[in-house]
Amino acid sequence: MTVIDPLGARLNAIVRRHLAARRAAAGVGLALQRLEQQKIDTARRRVTPARRQVACRHLPESIAAILPLDGSLAALIAEVEDELAWQQNVNYSDAAMNHPGYMDNYAYAELVGPAGLWPGDDFLMGLLVLGPHLHYLDHSHPAPELYWLLTGPSDWRAGSADFASREQGEMIWHPPHKVHATRTGTVPLLALYIWTSDVEQPARLVT
């Protein structure tokens, strides 16, 4: 008999609903397909060592800002954020980012993946938080990446293009090795990210 994980089923249904509504957009169909393959609604949820970062202080404001977008998602994130292993990329530092205090305003946590509540098959899905007035410098990674912006606005750039303002609810696709960067304004950014494959190599700054 198939056992349903209620939390996994809720998360899966929420994300699938939003992805399906934008299936025609670049990368969204692939992200949806790979999410469906993880079967997190029936996968055994793991108990992982929870870990906080200083940047988690931005979560209450960010979760509240999600309410107009999807109240059920805001409630789910509030329910699990204390259980997550919030971490930071080992390639980053205040000096590397040329921004004192950057690392106190940056963190991410896997929902699905090696450090997540559910295992992933060469697949990551998680949350990224960036505090206000940050510049996440040009970086790239082998993994194809989809961002779903849960708060906004924030500025995004890919390749040689100029920064462009993106609003809450938008989805942004980065093909493998595509150089991209992000800037936040007066409000924190909380985004859901999906890496569809090649997840073992972390992002590296492009200098």
Side-chain angles (χ1 to χ4, degrees):
M1 182 178 70
T2 300
V3 178
I4 301 298
D5 174 9
L7 184 61
R10 285 165 54 200
L11 176 61
N12 188 53
I14 292 167
V15 178
R16 283 183 60 188
R17 182 174 71 250
H18 286 273
L19 293 182
R22 299 169 175 80
R23 185 189 294 268
V28 176
L30 174 60
L32 180 59
Q33 178 187 46
R34 293 290 288 128
L35 173 61
E36 291 173 343
Q37 291 170 351
Q38 307 312 306
K39 301 186 184 302
I40 64 172
D41 52 344
T42 57
R44 183 182 297 275
R45 190 179 352 147
R46 301 179 297 183
V47 177
T48 58
R51 183 169 59 250
R52 302 284 286 180
Q53 300 287 344
V54 177
C56 291
R57 72 188 187 280
H58 298 298
L59 289 173
E61 176 184 353
S62 298
I63 292 170
I66 299 173
L67 288 171
L69 177 68
D70 191 317
S72 59
L73 178 61
L76 190 149
I77 295 174
E79 183 178 338
V80 303
E81 53 108 350
D82 280 336
E83 301 178 29
L84 300 176
W86 292 91
Q87 54 190 308
Q88 297 176 320
N89 189 322
V90 297
N91 297 314
Y92 298 167
S93 66
D94 287 359
M97 291 297 185
N98 194 29
H99 187 122
Y102 184 95
M103 301 302 283
D104 285 346
N105 288 279
Y106 150 76
Y108 68 93
E110 295 174 10
L111 295 163
V112 182
L117 300 179
W118 297 272
D121 177 17
D122 195 22
F123 176 91
L124 296 179
M125 182 170 73
L127 298 168
L128 168 73
V129 60
L130 294 176
H133 305 296
L134 288 192
H135 184 180
Y136 188 171
L137 298 176
D138 284 342
H139 60 285
S140 68
H141 38 74
E145 174 183 68
L146 181 72
Y147 270 116
W148 176 24
L149 307 186
L150 305 181
T151 64
S154 51
D155 295 336
W156 293 74
R157 177 178 70 193
S160 59
D162 294 332
F163 277 100
S165 181
R166 308 297 292 267
E167 299 297 326
Q168 181 184 41
E170 290 196 54
M171 296 186 181
I172 301 170
W173 174 248
H174 298 131
H177 301 288
K178 185 71 172 182
V179 176
H180 52 284
T182 309
R183 296 188 309 205
T184 56
T186 59
V187 298
L189 169 67
L190 183 61
L192 184 140
Y193 67 88
I194 292 176
W195 281 18
T196 60
S197 62
D198 299 305
V199 304
E200 294 185 356
Q201 294 297 318
R204 294 186 180 274
L205 295 175
V206 177
T207 57

